[in-house]
Amino acid sequence: MMARTIDFAQGWRSMQIGITKLEKHVEGLPGHSLNSEQYINLYTTVYVMCTQKPPHDHAEKLYNKYREVVEEYTKSTVLPALRKTYDDEYMLLRVLLERCSIHKKMVRRLSRIFHYVDRYFVVRNSLLSLEEVGLACFVDMVYNTLQLRVREAVIAIVDKEREGDDTGIDRALLENVKDIYVEIGMGKMKRYEQDLESFMLEGTASYYSRKASRWIQEYSYFDYIRKSEECVKKEKKRVSHYLYASSEPKLVKIVEHELFVVYANKLLEKKHSEFREIAGGLEPITNIFKQHVEDTDGQDTAAIRKVIEVHDKYIVYVTKCLENQTIFHKSLKEAFKFFCSKAVSGSSLSDESLATICDRIIILKKWASEELSDEAIEKVVKFLAYISDDKDLFAEFYKKKLARRLLLNRDASDDHERGIITKLKQQFGGNFTYKMEGMVTDLTLSRQNQNSFDEYVANNPAAKPGIDLSVTLLTTSVWPSYKTFDVNLPSEMVKCVEIFKVFYETKHKRRKLTWLHSLETCHINGKFDQKPIDLIVSTHQAAVLLLFNTRDKLNYTDIQTQLNLRHEDLVWVLHSLSCAKYKVLIKEPATETVSKTDVFEVNSKFTSRTGGVKIPLSHVDERKKVVEYVNNDRRYAIEASIVRIMKGKKVLGHEQLVSECVKQLSGMFKPDVKAIKTRIEELIARDYLERDKMNPNMFRYLA
Amino acid sequence: MDRIDHLFNQYANTSSNLIDPEGIEELCSNLEVPHTDIRILMLAWKMKAEKQGYFTQEEWRRGLKALRADTLSKLKKALPELEKEVRRQSNFADFYAYAFRYCLTEEKQKSIDIETICQLLDIVMGSTFRAQVDYFVEYLKIQNDYKVINMDQWMGFYRFCNEISFPEMTEYNPELAWPLVLDSFVEWISEKQA
């Protein structure tokens, strides 16, 4: 126990020695650390000086001395160090951070030594605590004088990075700077927000304002949009390096404002004029979009961006389709307008309708009441193909329509069809189009073959079909599959078939011929009372009609026995001849449907304005079949993909398997996750895969 | 062994030397256990019986030996203990899978029709997961997508009962590898509850 009173001057002298040591120690100078005994001595000295009876109670003096020490320390050690960093931003920040941290350490240690002052004197007199005093000192003497320089240093570094100058950027350093503000703010964000954040936001705004005003002049519309999107992305990434997460949304909003909102109208004008250059007459489209932007009041960046996004999609189409030519057909424009308005309103056309439109355009050679050149047709088809959602579905429908055109619409030029297919090949790749090409080739070869056949018949007295026979040869693998309704042909036709078969075998010994009677057309001349009429009918219809050459009246059963058709098929054929538009046969009783007890005879009173009549058979729903076919194809494709992936990886988690699968198939169609799951389960049931015993979300490939 | 064989002969069909469905029915009535009770299935499991409705002499011996029962009364007494054994977490999954395989009567059969599945679920899981079984059975009867259930789907349901709280089902994530039939089941319940 200390008995004697400590005189202030004396006490302070011993304190000073310890404090000086401490100052040297926090500087990192070796050999000046205080051991615990020295530490306790200092603490005790303070304690005694505070608790001595007046007039030796020196708490107040100690409090003031404490402040003096910190101020002196700051003046003699911290400020000179900072002054040395005159022009170098990095050095300034580095030294500042260093000094801040050392200062903090110093204040803390000192406060501990002077702790007793804190406990009673400070509290009793409602004064700033020792730590607060220390911090205030730093703020007054260091922070306030340097604040401006620090902020400018930070923004200079950020701007440098924005300009693309990545060299020597010390991100770790930058990240720590913001912490100073929170320190200074005693753990609260107010200082940070007021002193750093608001300044950075302002700086960002002015940076982008400058840039935008230049870019809007220099860049094309596309490039401006692209560049701006890039900037937003980069700013999002960058902001976390020097500001807190809470600042990100504020900053991004500012960037978007400067780049998009401020120039919204100018951007539209830009588009407008640029498009007039690329493709004259795009006004209708830009008007639609302009209207949309006006509707969203031009203030809502998100809405504007969506409109721009949709518009850009179509601009890509236009540029790709037109390849920067200035020709822009009215029909393409119409198409464009039509699809744009659909897209903006959210709906889209099915792949089937797109294929149907293509078919109509090719057959009619016009669209939107404008005659189209072959070249224009190619462009329109390419465009429609491009915007289809599921390429494989579109291709399948297109193929079906192509087949019909080739078989029934004999006027269409092969070269033209080939040209279109080539354009599609560029879009889809050879996979989808090689069959189409095969079909067109078949037609060309068929024609050559027909010539040979005609020659053969001319030179071969024994081979006289007696009827004009024209045969189209289809290579099975490339054409859609057609049902073959086998029917007992009339003898005249049987003869034709035989002769052709013999002829064909002379050229191709090992090929098998299957006749597709459902696709055939026969021209029959009917000698009706008023006048003879040429009837264009299918082979089945012809077979029925020719039966009446030998008999006047035939009942259902007779016909069926003779022709050997299935009930459904025969009903179908008889219906078309007796109950539809052209009643070439009279049916007794004259009901709407054909039944097994009906009796038929030729309608001799049948006549028509024209000399020739085509009697159609009603069509089966093709659409369903195509969709089914594609779905089946897809099922195989998905399974094959899963097996491929699992074979490679051996073990894979469910989610990865699904995403790999989607990725693999993305070029053709977007597989539905449910469909993939179903296939996986199928493969498990077929012992291709198994679930891992430990983790049911993992699959294992079974060799 | 003799007593076990003797007991076997009491129920076995003399010409085939197997205990056939009739014999099993008699056994059940002597044990005072209903014919469709889960304990018979458990007994079959213990015996590792292969064919549903039949016990071979070897299977009989195996089972009773394991249960240390050579008389009817001992067998009866062994049943509660057997049940406890089967219901142990480590065994139940195996038993559950066994129950499915046991119902595969044809040679290459890999799945079981909905009707049988519903009955089986009731027997095997009815006492422990009443609510899930009731809902799932209702769903299976209403839906049209599945006419049969395979082993993977069967085991999936077991995992479902054990891992997913019912009827909240908050943990259920259809993006994981749950069998599709369960995805549809969960969807159906959610729609019902809406």
Side-chain angles (χ1 to χ4, degrees):
Chain A
M1 282 305 307
M2 297 262 201
R4 58 183 177 86
T5 330
I6 302 184
D7 158 58
F8 186 78
Q10 185 192 354
W12 185 250
R13 252 196 312 274
S14 65
M15 295 285 311
Q16 188 66 67
I17 297 172
I19 291 171
T20 313
K21 267 194 117 178
L22 179 62
E23 285 175 3
K24 292 217 175 83
H25 174 64
V26 297
E27 286 303 309
L29 296 169
H32 296 279
S33 62
L34 294 170
N35 64 33
S36 37
E37 193 188 323
Q38 293 163 313
Y39 183 80
I40 290 180
N41 276 338
L42 289 168
Y43 182 89
T44 317
T45 311
V46 170
Y47 171 80
V48 169
M49 288 204 269
C50 285
T51 50
Q52 285 172 158
K53 295 263 183 296
H56 299 288
D57 54 339
H58 302 305
E60 187 173 353
K61 283 212 192 89
L62 283 170
Y63 185 75
N64 293 330
K65 270 292 185 187
Y66 169 88
R67 178 189 277 111
E68 270 176 46
V69 164
V70 178
E71 282 175 358
E72 185 56 44
Y73 167 75
T74 311
K75 205 159 76 179
S76 66
T77 318
V78 180
L79 289 177
L82 285 165
R83 244 177 266 129
K84 280 205 211 131
T85 67
Y86 194 55
D87 242 344
D88 188 335
E89 300 131 358
Y90 270 119
M91 216 178 146
L92 169 65
L93 294 178
R94 216 168 276 136
V95 173
L96 178 63
L97 278 170
E98 204 187 326
R99 282 290 133 203
C100 186
S101 129
I102 295 177
H103 194 276
K104 196 160 139 190
K105 205 153 112 187
M106 176 72 187
V107 163
R108 197 157 282 173
R109 297 263 168 108
L110 265 185
S111 307
R112 267 190 232 136
I113 292 173
F114 282 76
H115 176 65
Y116 204 78
V117 178
D118 246 347
R119 271 188 79 181
Y120 289 105
F121 178 72
V122 163
V123 174
R124 231 181 271 140
N125 293 288
S126 308
L127 295 167
L128 289 178
S129 76
L130 293 176
E131 278 209 40
E132 285 170 336
V133 169
L135 181 66
C137 176
F138 187 85
V139 171
D140 289 335
M141 296 173 72
V142 178
Y143 177 78
N144 284 343
T145 51
L146 287 175
Q147 222 228 101
L148 211 58
R149 273 187 68 197
V150 169
R151 290 199 309 213
E152 282 174 0
V154 174
I155 193 118
I157 296 173
V158 171
D159 278 348
K160 212 155 128 189
E161 206 189 341
R162 283 174 176 150
E163 291 298 310
D165 185 357
D166 271 33
T167 57
I169 295 201
D170 187 346
R171 292 228 172 76
L173 180 65
L174 266 187
E175 281 204 41
N176 291 326
V177 170
K178 61 184 186 282
D179 297 335
I180 296 183
Y181 292 85
V182 179
E183 282 288 333
I184 299 287
M186 302 272 275
K188 302 249 183 18
M189 297 294 275
K190 200 156 146 224
R191 279 279 191 171
Y192 163 79
E193 281 166 11
Q194 279 175 356
D195 293 347
L196 183 64
E197 189 193 59
S198 61
F199 185 76
M200 296 307 295
L201 292 178
E202 257 177 61
T204 304
S206 74
Y207 177 86
Y208 281 105
S209 167
R210 277 198 315 274
K211 290 290 174 183
S213 66
R214 228 185 57 213
W215 292 345
I216 197 81
Q217 310 284 348
E218 289 177 2
Y219 289 141
S220 76
Y221 168 77
F222 251 139
D223 290 338
Y224 180 93
I225 298 287
R226 215 179 310 143
K227 181 103 187 149
S228 304
E229 306 257 290
E230 231 179 86
C231 285
V232 173
K233 227 194 277 178
K234 283 205 180 132
E235 288 297 327
K236 273 194 181 150
K237 249 173 85 181
R238 193 179 293 127
V239 71
S240 60
H241 292 153
Y242 59 99
L243 289 179
Y244 287 111
S246 53
S247 309
E248 184 187 314
K250 299 182 202 170
L251 187 115
V252 171
K253 191 152 183 230
I254 285 183
V255 176
E256 287 186 339
H257 180 87
E258 291 301 326
L259 291 171
F260 292 113
V261 179
V262 166
Y263 289 100
N265 283 325
K266 261 235 169 95
L267 277 172
L268 282 171
E269 270 174 47
K270 225 173 142 54
K271 261 191 334 212
H272 195 102
S273 61
E274 273 174 33
F275 293 164
R276 248 204 278 254
E277 288 165 33
I278 298 175
L282 253 176
E283 273 148 76
I285 297 88
T286 18
N287 283 339
I288 296 177
F289 287 99
K290 192 163 184 181
Q291 183 147 19
H292 255 266
V293 172
E294 278 160 6
D295 288 346
T296 60
D297 202 42
Q299 284 310 304
D300 183 352
T301 24
I304 294 182
R305 301 228 357 241
K306 171 93 176 67
V307 169
I308 292 176
E309 194 185 295
V310 170
H311 188 292
D312 287 350
K313 189 167 153 204
Y314 285 94
I315 288 305
V316 174
Y317 294 151
V318 171
T319 349
K320 281 207 168 196
C321 288
L322 299 184
E323 286 141 349
N324 283 321
Q325 291 167 4
T326 52
I327 312 165
F328 192 63
H329 295 272
K330 178 169 162 219
S331 50
L332 244 188
K333 196 171 74 180
E334 283 304 308
F336 206 67
K337 182 164 142 196
F338 179 58
F339 294 119
C340 285
S341 64
K342 284 246 173 206
V344 168
S345 68
S347 60
S348 63
L349 288 174
S350 73
D351 301 306
E352 190 195 356
S353 5
L354 289 173
T356 310
I357 295 174
C358 287
D359 183 55
R360 274 213 291 272
I361 293 175
I362 295 171
I363 293 179
L364 299 174
K365 294 196 198 299
K366 63 156 96 175
W367 196 33
S369 62
E370 179 188 319
E371 298 276 331
L372 293 178
S373 66
D374 283 357
E375 197 197 349
I377 294 178
E378 280 178 24
K379 289 210 164 91
V380 176
V381 172
K382 185 172 162 182
F383 169 69
L384 294 177
Y386 193 85
I387 63 174
S388 64
D389 286 324
D390 286 328
K391 308 283 178 231
D392 60 347
L393 206 56
F394 174 85
E396 201 51 41
F397 278 115
Y398 184 87
K399 205 175 80 164
K400 278 235 141 164
K401 308 261 184 223
L402 172 67
R404 292 197 61 206
R405 279 202 302 279
L406 291 174
L407 295 176
L408 304 175
N409 190 20
R410 296 306 222 100
D411 306 328
S413 136
D414 289 351
D415 285 336
H416 180 37
E417 295 280 4
R418 245 191 244 282
I420 301 176
I421 294 172
T422 314
K423 283 279 185 300
L424 290 178
K425 194 168 168 181
Q426 292 163 0
Q427 290 286 340
F428 297 151
N431 262 337
F432 287 118
T433 53
Y434 86 89
K435 280 191 183 173
M436 298 182 200
E437 285 173 335
M439 291 198 278
V440 179
T441 309
D442 270 356
L443 267 274
T444 317
L445 290 178
S446 278
R447 264 190 271 271
Q448 290 171 5
N449 193 67
Q450 183 67 35
N451 289 336
S452 309
F453 180 66
D454 291 338
E455 254 180 60
Y456 172 84
V457 166
N459 298 336
N460 220 319
K464 285 276 177 270
I467 311 177
D468 278 334
L469 176 67
S470 156
V471 178
T472 313
L473 289 161
L474 311 179
T475 313
T476 316
S477 55
V478 302
W479 290 80
S481 53
Y482 295 106
K483 277 186 16 199
T484 58
F485 297 101
D486 271 332
V487 64
N488 286 344
L489 293 172
S491 53
E492 300 95 320
M493 293 190 197
V494 172
K495 198 167 162 200
C496 288
V497 167
E498 284 303 310
I499 293 175
F500 189 82
K501 198 165 149 201
V502 170
F503 157 75
Y504 195 69
E505 266 168 22
T506 63
K507 305 183 87 187
H508 304 282
K509 286 215 190 329
R510 264 176 289 165
R511 287 198 191 157
K512 176 168 176 248
L513 286 177
T514 309
W515 293 84
L516 298 174
H517 297 307
S518 48
L519 297 177
E520 293 159 4
T521 316
C522 297
H523 291 245
I524 296 187
N525 189 272
K527 295 197 182 4
F528 297 100
D529 289 347
Q530 269 200 35
K531 65 178 193 224
I533 310 247
D534 274 333
L535 301 171
I536 303 175
V537 291
S538 75
T539 301
H540 300 92
Q541 291 166 316
V544 169
L545 291 174
L546 286 173
L547 288 176
F548 290 91
N549 274 346
T550 48
R551 293 256 296 271
D552 289 333
K553 260 196 174 134
L554 286 163
N555 63 32
Y556 178 92
T557 325
D558 292 333
I559 302 178
Q560 186 175 48
T561 322
Q562 297 248 22
L563 296 185
N564 198 20
L565 274 174
R566 282 184 328 169
H567 174 64
E568 308 88 77
D569 300 331
L570 184 53
V571 164
W572 186 40
V573 173
L574 286 171
H575 186 277
S576 67
L577 295 170
S578 60
C579 310
K581 185 172 177 195
Y582 300 107
K583 296 186 172 48
V584 183
L585 294 177
I586 302 177
K587 183 171 80 83
E588 236 172 88
T591 50
E592 298 266 302
T593 50
V594 173
S595 60
K596 293 192 180 170
T597 49
D598 290 339
V599 177
F600 298 87
E601 65 176 327
V602 174
N603 179 11
S604 51
K605 303 228 186 311
F606 176 79
T607 194
S608 153
R609 263 188 307 112
T610 57
V613 154
K614 184 167 185 293
I615 308 186
L617 281 163
S618 52
H619 280 306
V620 182
D621 181 8
E622 286 210 328
R623 181 175 190 283
K624 243 171 59 180
K625 286 201 269 175
V626 171
V627 173
E628 209 184 288
Y629 179 77
V630 171
N631 278 337
N632 274 334
D633 253 7
R634 285 185 181 177
R635 242 173 262 156
Y636 298 138
I638 295 176
E639 269 192 21
S641 169
I642 295 174
V643 171
R644 241 196 329 268
I645 295 169
M646 289 308 296
K647 207 167 172 185
K649 303 266 183 179
K650 301 282 187 262
V651 179
L652 197 59
H654 173 82
E655 283 168 314
Q656 287 125 296
L657 178 56
V658 170
S659 74
E660 268 299 316
C661 192
V662 169
K663 212 159 71 168
Q664 268 197 18
L665 298 168
S666 60
M668 292 196 288
F669 64 96
K670 185 154 189 274
D672 170 38
V673 176
K674 264 199 168 142
I676 298 181
K677 245 194 177 182
T678 314
R679 293 295 108 213
I680 294 177
E681 290 185 6
E682 254 294 300
L683 289 169
I684 293 178
R686 274 154 49 199
D687 292 328
Y688 275 85
L689 306 175
E690 68 173 2
R691 270 187 216 270
D692 184 84
K693 303 276 187 297
M694 290 292 112
N695 178 2
N697 270 315
M698 285 286 242
F699 298 109
R700 206 175 278 279
Y701 180 71
L702 296 173
Chain B
M1 191 52 80
D2 273 339
R3 288 229 276 246
I4 291 180
D5 283 345
H6 178 69
L7 200 56
F8 179 76
N9 290 327
Q10 281 193 326
Y11 297 102
N13 179 317
T14 38
S15 45
S16 59
N17 202 33
L18 295 167
I19 299 183
D20 61 14
E22 247 184 70
I24 292 186
E25 243 190 274
E26 212 189 315
L27 174 67
C28 287
S29 110
N30 289 349
L31 287 171
E32 286 169 359
V33 166
H35 180 68
T36 49
D37 193 282
I38 190 177
R39 286 170 286 177
I40 296 300
L41 195 53
M42 289 178 176
L43 186 60
W45 174 78
K46 198 71 185 166
M47 290 183 194
K48 298 201 208 294
E50 282 193 18
K51 192 163 171 190
Q52 189 191 39
Y54 294 87
F55 295 148
T56 67
Q57 185 156 33
E58 195 182 316
E59 290 163 356
W60 179 264
R61 281 179 184 162
R62 187 187 294 134
L64 267 74
K65 209 163 148 206
L67 292 173
R68 291 191 229 276
D70 55 7
T71 64
L72 190 68
S73 63
K74 279 197 203 155
L75 181 57
K76 191 164 167 187
K77 287 207 182 90
L79 288 180
E81 198 56 51
L82 171 63
E83 188 169 350
K84 243 183 10 197
E85 183 195 341
V86 171
R87 288 204 187 277
R88 270 210 294 274
Q89 191 76 335
S90 48
N91 285 328
F92 198 78
D94 184 65
F95 171 72
Y96 182 82
Y98 172 80
F100 185 88
R101 285 195 303 274
Y102 194 59
C103 291
L104 299 172
T105 44
E106 305 301 314
E107 206 194 292
K108 293 251 176 106
Q109 191 181 355
K110 285 200 160 166
S111 28
I112 300 177
D113 63 280
I114 294 292
E115 172 113 24
T116 310
I117 286 288
C118 292
Q119 290 169 359
L120 196 62
L121 277 172
D122 191 49
I123 296 176
V124 176
M125 300 281 266
S127 49
T128 36
F129 296 106
R130 184 78 262 160
Q132 287 95 320
V133 169
D134 283 344
Y135 271 95
F136 194 48
V137 161
E138 193 188 326
Y139 171 70
L140 286 176
K141 292 195 171 146
I142 293 183
Q143 57 79 39
N144 288 318
D145 296 319
Y146 300 94
K147 305 260 184 315
V148 293
I149 294 290
N150 63 32
M151 176 62 100
D152 186 59
Q153 292 158 322
W154 174 255
M155 294 313 290
F157 182 71
Y158 179 71
R159 272 195 295 131
F160 177 83
C161 292
N162 279 307
E163 291 173 27
I164 306 292
S165 62
F166 200 80
E168 300 86 15
M169 302 184 294
T170 39
E171 311 92 337
Y172 191 86
N173 181 359
E175 297 198 0
L176 296 177
W178 292 102
L180 209 51
V181 65
L182 289 177
D183 290 346
S184 311
F185 171 55
V186 170
E187 220 180 289
W188 172 78
I189 295 186
S190 316
E191 280 167 17
K192 247 172 98 97
Q193 287 173 343

